[in-house]
């Protein structure tokens, strides 16, 4: 048979293994399917072989390329510095492009982590410890300005004296200032941070977000955020910032069943040993936050469990009274005029301090600021007692007795 036209009816000419065969149409069809399946298997095997070869080549390149080198750091930080990232190399590796590739399905989250890793690499593993040389006179001035805080000032003084004598990092125990609104609890934490020359930050425990504020939100998503501890200690300049835990007693009513327990995050942070190996939920690297100073405020102890209270030094703060209150008023007048640069333009009658002394420190401050603004607007150079009374709302006027 020289061509297909010479084939008998119901037969086909098939080429296989270098020869031609005449097969019934059904057998020829089966043979063609067999050839197609075999060809497909050979193609797939070839593709797999190519992928394996490419993977081996890529792994060979990675093995040949050295890992990015980090600067060499001494085994111990320099004096008055603290190592906040003990395993610095591991932290940087975990936040490299290769390190975050398998940890998040979200591109923006990976980019955020890589950026954090680059910032940490630039900052290094150590942070400075804030402890100004003039702390003794600064504490004496703070005690004079806020005499109702003598007890917590004494605790801070002992901690600073111990650090100076032993040449060790300053460790101020967590403070809980208990008292009514307006006695200066928040102001004390700000003054303490200024004295220590360190950053000051606040977590408001009457807000639903308080549960994730300290140690970060859910990790590996684009809208996650690192916590205040990581931002201040690892991404900041100082190892011992001051964090105000404001209105701690309000935490019980500030969260819903979907929120993190605002107080749960504090247990490990306030305990020195566990704070040395703390983790941020968002970044997932271990760091040392054991030098952070915590100042908590509360109007009452209701809703704060004993396991947490046991971690605090608790001080009951009452409004200043008697001669202390008069001295606070005098210093507060000087402070406001100095801050507003009005010392040479406005003065207060000394008797004003006696009226102001019967107010809470918060109301004192607001009143002095209002009086200074009014005198400046009216182009007056002196504030007298009558003006103090006139500036007060009826509900704010103290009862003289």
């Amino acid at each position: 048979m020289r061509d297909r036209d010479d084939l008998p009816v119901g037969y086909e000419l098939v080429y296989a293994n270098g020869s031609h065969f005449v097969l019934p149409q059904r057998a020829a069809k089966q043979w063609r399917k067999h050839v197609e399946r075999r060809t497909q298997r050979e193609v797939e095997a070839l593709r797999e072989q190519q992928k394996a070869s490419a993977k081996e080549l890529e792994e060979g390149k990675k093995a040949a390329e050295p890992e990015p080198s980090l600067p060499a750091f001494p085994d111990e930080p320099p004096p008055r510095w603290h190592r906040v990232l003990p395993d610095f190399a591991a932290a940087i590796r975990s936040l490299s492009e290769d390190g975050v590739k398998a940890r998040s399905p979200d591109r923006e989250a990976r980019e955020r982590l890589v950026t954090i890793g680059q910032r940490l690499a630039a900052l290094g593993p150590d942070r400075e410890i804030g402890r100004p040389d003039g702390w003794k006179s600064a504490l004496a001035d703070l005690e004079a300005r806020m005499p109702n805080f003598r007890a917590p000032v004494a605790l801070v003084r002992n901690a600073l004296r111990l650090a100076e004598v032993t040449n060790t990092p300053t460790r101020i125990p967590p403070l809980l200032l208990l008292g009514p609104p307006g006695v200066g609890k928040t102001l004390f934490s700000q003054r303490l941070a200024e004295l220590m020359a360190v950053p000051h930050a606040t977590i408001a425990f009457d807000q639903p977000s308080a549960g994730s504020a300290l140690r970060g939100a859910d990790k590996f998503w684009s809208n996650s955020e690192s916590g205040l501890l990581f931002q201040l200690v690892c991404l900041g300049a100082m190892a011992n910032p001051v964090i105000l835990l404001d209105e701690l007693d309000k935490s019980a009513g500030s969260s819903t069943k979907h929120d993190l327990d605002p107080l749960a995050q504090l247990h490990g942070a306030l305990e020195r040993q566990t704070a040395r190996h703390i983790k941020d939920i968002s970044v997932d690297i271990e760091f040392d936050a054991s030098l952070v100073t915590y100042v908590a405020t509360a109007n009452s102890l209701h809703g704060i469990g004993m396991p947490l209270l046991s971690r605090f030094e608790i001080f009951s703060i009452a409004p200043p009274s008697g001669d202390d209150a008069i001295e606070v008023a005098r210093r507060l007048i000087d402070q406001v005029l100095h801050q507003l640069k009005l010392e040479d333009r406005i003065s207060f009658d000394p008797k004003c301090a006696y009226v102001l002394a019967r107010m809470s420190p918060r109301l004192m401050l607001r009143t002095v600021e209002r009086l200074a603004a009014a005198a400046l607007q009216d182009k007056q150079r002196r504030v007298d007692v009558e003006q103090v009374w006139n500036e007060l709302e009826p509900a704010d006027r103290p009862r003289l007795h």
Side-chain angles (χ1 to χ4, degrees):
M1 296 182 187
R2 296 182 180 179
D3 55 42
R4 296 176 184 271
D5 295 336
D6 298 332
L7 292 176
V9 177
Y11 285 81
E12 290 187 13
L13 185 65
V14 176
Y15 181 81
N17 300 327
S19 302
H20 288 85
F21 297 90
V22 177
L23 298 175
Q25 289 180 342
R26 183 175 181 180
K29 185 177 181 180
Q30 291 175 344
W31 172 256
R32 282 195 297 271
K33 287 183 179 180
H34 168 72
V35 171
E36 288 175 0
R37 287 195 295 269
R38 185 179 65 184
T39 303
Q40 183 64 29
R41 288 196 297 270
E42 291 174 351
V43 169
E44 290 175 355
L46 180 59
R47 287 175 178 170
E48 290 297 324
Q49 185 178 358
Q50 289 173 339
K51 287 181 181 179
S53 299
K55 184 177 179 180
E56 289 178 4
L57 180 62
E58 183 66 22
E59 290 176 350
K61 287 181 179 179
K62 287 184 178 180
E65 294 175 358
E67 290 188 3
S69 59
L70 294 171
F73 294 98
D75 293 337
E76 298 291 334
R80 296 185 72 163
W81 285 70
H82 185 67
R83 183 144 298 174
V84 300
L85 290 166
D87 199 346
F88 182 61
I92 299 304
R93 281 196 302 270
S94 70
L95 296 175
S96 65
E97 291 187 8
D98 288 340
V100 304
K101 190 177 297 182
R103 296 165 62 187
S104 172
D106 186 88
R107 180 179 58 83
E108 292 184 13
R110 293 195 301 269
E111 291 176 354
R112 181 183 67 86
L113 292 174
V114 169
T115 300
I116 290 174
Q118 293 169 348
R119 290 178 63 185
L120 290 180
L123 289 168
D126 303 328
R127 301 293 180 270
E128 191 175 358
I129 301 171
R131 192 181 73 207
D133 296 329
W135 62 265
K136 293 179 182 178
S137 59
L139 269 182
D141 181 66
L142 177 61
E143 187 173 10
R145 290 177 180 276
M146 307 185 73
N148 51 332
F149 286 83
R150 285 193 180 96
V153 167
L155 183 143
V156 172
R157 183 181 287 113
N158 290 336
L160 289 170
R161 184 184 293 121
L162 180 63
E164 186 173 79
V165 170
T166 60
N167 197 28
T168 56
T170 305
R171 300 181 188 274
I172 300 175
L175 311 178
L176 175 55
L177 308 178
L178 185 66
V183 297
K185 302 188 296 292
T186 300
L187 180 62
F188 176 80
S189 73
Q190 296 170 347
R191 293 285 184 266
L192 180 59
E194 292 172 5
L195 184 149
M196 299 289 292
V198 296
H200 177 272
T202 300
I203 298 177
F205 277 80
D206 60 345
Q207 300 297 317
S209 59
S212 60
L214 192 67
R215 297 176 61 180
D218 238 353
K219 57 189 174 185
F220 308 142
W221 297 102
S222 59
N223 62 346
S224 64
E225 292 184 4
S226 51
L228 194 58
L229 267 183
F230 183 83
Q231 294 172 21
L232 289 173
V233 175
C234 294
L235 299 180
M238 310 300 291
N240 58 330
V242 174
I243 296 181
L244 172 64
L245 308 174
D246 201 24
E247 298 188 297
L248 205 62
D249 52 327
K250 301 289 181 62
S251 62
S254 67
S255 60
T256 69
K257 63 180 181 180
H258 301 293
D259 297 319
L260 296 175
D261 179 4
L263 298 183
Q265 59 178 327
L266 294 178
H267 288 82
L270 297 178
E271 198 71 49
R272 184 180 303 171
Q273 287 304 114
T274 53
R276 291 177 61 87
H277 307 282
I278 205 162
K279 274 192 176 185
D280 184 273
I281 297 174
S282 173
V283 183
D284 198 30
I285 65 171
E286 191 174 280
F287 61 100
D288 186 341
S290 60
L291 299 188
V292 174
T293 299
Y294 296 95
V295 179
T297 70
N299 298 330
S300 74
L301 297 180
H302 178 71
I304 309 174
M306 283 304 301
L308 188 60
L309 289 176
S310 66
R311 289 165 165 79
F312 284 103
E313 297 286 339
I314 303 174
F315 299 93
S316 294
I317 308 297
S321 60
D323 292 341
D324 284 343
I326 296 170
E327 183 61 24
V328 168
R330 288 171 178 160
R331 288 178 174 270
L332 193 144
I333 291 171
D334 294 339
Q335 173 190 323
V336 170
L337 294 179
H338 175 72
Q339 289 177 342
L340 299 177
K341 299 180 180 179
L342 296 175
E343 301 104 313
D344 299 330
R345 301 177 61 181
I346 299 173
S347 64
F348 278 66
D349 186 317
K351 295 179 182 178
C352 292
Y354 290 87
V355 178
L356 293 168
R358 297 176 181 274
M359 308 174 192
S360 71
R362 181 181 298 170
L363 182 56
M364 273 190 211
L365 177 62
R366 293 204 304 261
T367 303
V368 172
E369 289 175 341
R370 288 202 303 265
L371 290 166
L376 193 64
Q377 184 176 5
D378 297 339
K379 298 182 180 179
Q380 295 180 347
R381 295 188 59 84
R382 188 174 179 82
V383 177
D384 57 30
V385 175
E386 184 179 356
Q387 289 173 296
V388 177
W389 286 99
N390 291 339
E391 279 296 312
L392 289 179
E393 297 292 337
D396 293 334
R397 293 182 181 179
R399 297 173 59 188
L400 299 180
H401 50 268

